[in-house]
Amino acid sequence: MTTRAESTFTSENSETTPREWTGGSMARTRWLKEFTGDLEGTSVVEAIMLQVEPAPGGEAGAIYVGVERFECSLHGRKGSFLLTHNATSLGEETGGEWAIVPGSGRDELTGISGHGEILPDHHFVLEYTLP
C-alpha cells in the first residue's frame, strides 16, 4: 500500500562551486535542508546545475541532477534513504522527477520505495511503500 507524506522544508548553508563548461554555466551545489511534517529530519543534497546558452532567438534551458540523503523520521519510523533529483526548465515549462534509490533505506526505513515531488513554497510530497 502506498502512503503519502507531506512536509515543508527550509534550505540553508548552500555552497556553490562553478565548473568549466562549454555551452552554458555549470556549478556543483551542496545544500542542507530541514523538514517538518510527516517527514521530520534533515537532508544533504549534492547537485550539478547547468544553465544552457540559448540558441539564436531561443530561450535558455536549465537542468539539475542530484542525490539527496535523508536522516529522518517518516510517519514515526526512523532511518535514512537516498532520493535522486532530475529537473529541467525552459521558459515557463518545468518538470522534474524525484525517486527513492532502490536498496538505500536503512533502519526502520529498510525496503522503502517510491517517489517525491517538490511543490511551491518549499512543500514536499513523498509517496512511498514500506514492507
Side-chain angles (χ1 to χ4, degrees):
M1 179 171 97
T2 300
T3 303
R4 182 180 176 97
E6 296 185 29
S7 297
T8 57
F9 66 92
T10 58
S11 180
E12 298 180 17
N13 301 328
S14 79
E15 300 170 12
T16 301
T17 307
R19 298 290 188 211
E20 295 231 3
W21 185 264
T22 301
S25 61
M26 179 183 277
R28 178 176 175 259
T29 304
R30 180 179 205 262
W31 64 94
L32 307 176
K33 294 181 184 176
E34 188 167 330
F35 291 81
T36 58
D38 298 330
L39 184 150
E40 292 189 11
T42 60
S43 72
V44 176
V45 181
E46 292 281 347
I48 299 294
M49 304 180 130
L50 174 64
Q51 179 76 39
V52 179
E53 289 178 4
E59 296 182 84
I63 184 170
Y64 88 87
V65 293
V67 176
E68 185 167 6
R69 184 175 193 283
F70 287 83
E71 288 284 341
C72 63
S73 173
L74 182 58
H75 286 123
R77 294 175 74 164
K78 294 182 180 182
S80 64
F81 64 92
L82 299 176
L83 187 78
T84 60
H85 293 230
N86 177 3
T88 60
S89 68
L90 180 62
E92 297 292 318
E93 295 181 36
T94 62
E97 295 179 7
W98 295 266
I100 295 173
V101 175
S104 68
R106 296 292 181 265
D107 301 318
E108 294 176 338
L109 300 178
T110 297
I112 190 170
S113 63
H115 62 278
E117 182 178 9
I118 297 176
L119 303 173
D121 299 323
H122 289 174
H123 188 77
F124 180 69
V125 175
L126 186 70
E127 297 199 6
Y128 69 93
T129 59
L130 276 166

